[in-house]
Amino acid sequence: VQLQASGGGLVQAGNSLRLSCAASGRTFSTYSVGWFRQTPGNEREFVAGIDETGLTTYDRYFVKGRFTISRDNAKNTVYLQMNSLKPEDTAVYICAANPTWRYIRVVRKYDYWGQGTLVTVSS
């Protein structure tokens, strides 16, 4: 499975962006997918995850009510809708595929990682 994140950019605080994670490979629909973010000098931080069916999601507290993760397995794509963006959301956002929903928050349990897309939120 190969993953490519896109949709990042520069936005003002309070605005929205939608990130996409496009996957290649016929087994993508069997993987749970997580979005992480990373800033310079810091570890990768789990943001949100979705199981292989799209029926179960999990959001970290700091994005709850603002970010929504979804997927379209027919298009091999996972989305992260980001609303009410804050300057502290500025980071490189990275999508990754995990074979086991139970470990959705565990970085070392992911099999495949995309390259990331930069989101910059100005105040």
Side-chain angles (χ1 to χ4, degrees), residues 59-115:
D59 307 319
R60 294 292 304 281
Y61 70 93
F62 49 79
V63 301
K64 201 171 288 292
R66 300 189 298 124
F67 291 12
T68 302
I69 188 171
S70 62
R71 71 189 295 162
D72 184 341
N73 283 340
K75 295 182 178 179
N76 272 8
T77 303
V78 171
Y79 305 97
L80 185 67
Q81 178 66 43
M82 306 188 297
N83 298 329
S84 302
L85 282 161
K86 304 176 181 180
E88 52 263 44
D89 295 319
T90 295
V92 173
Y93 284 72
I94 306 156
C95 60
N98 189 326
T100 310
W101 170 250
R102 179 192 306 176
Y103 301 120
I104 195 66
R105 294 182 56 175
V106 182
V107 172
R108 69 181 186 275
K109 293 293 190 179
Y110 281 77
D111 287 351
Y112 303 101
W113 292 86
Q115 291 183 314

Side-chain angles (χ1 to χ4, degrees), residues 39-60:
T39 53
N42 293 310
E43 293 187 353
R44 204 160 284 188
E45 176 179 57
F46 176 78
V47 174
I50 189 166
D51 75 349
E52 65 274 16
T53 69
L55 296 178
T56 304
T57 63
Y58 177 78
D59 307 319
R60 294 292 304 281

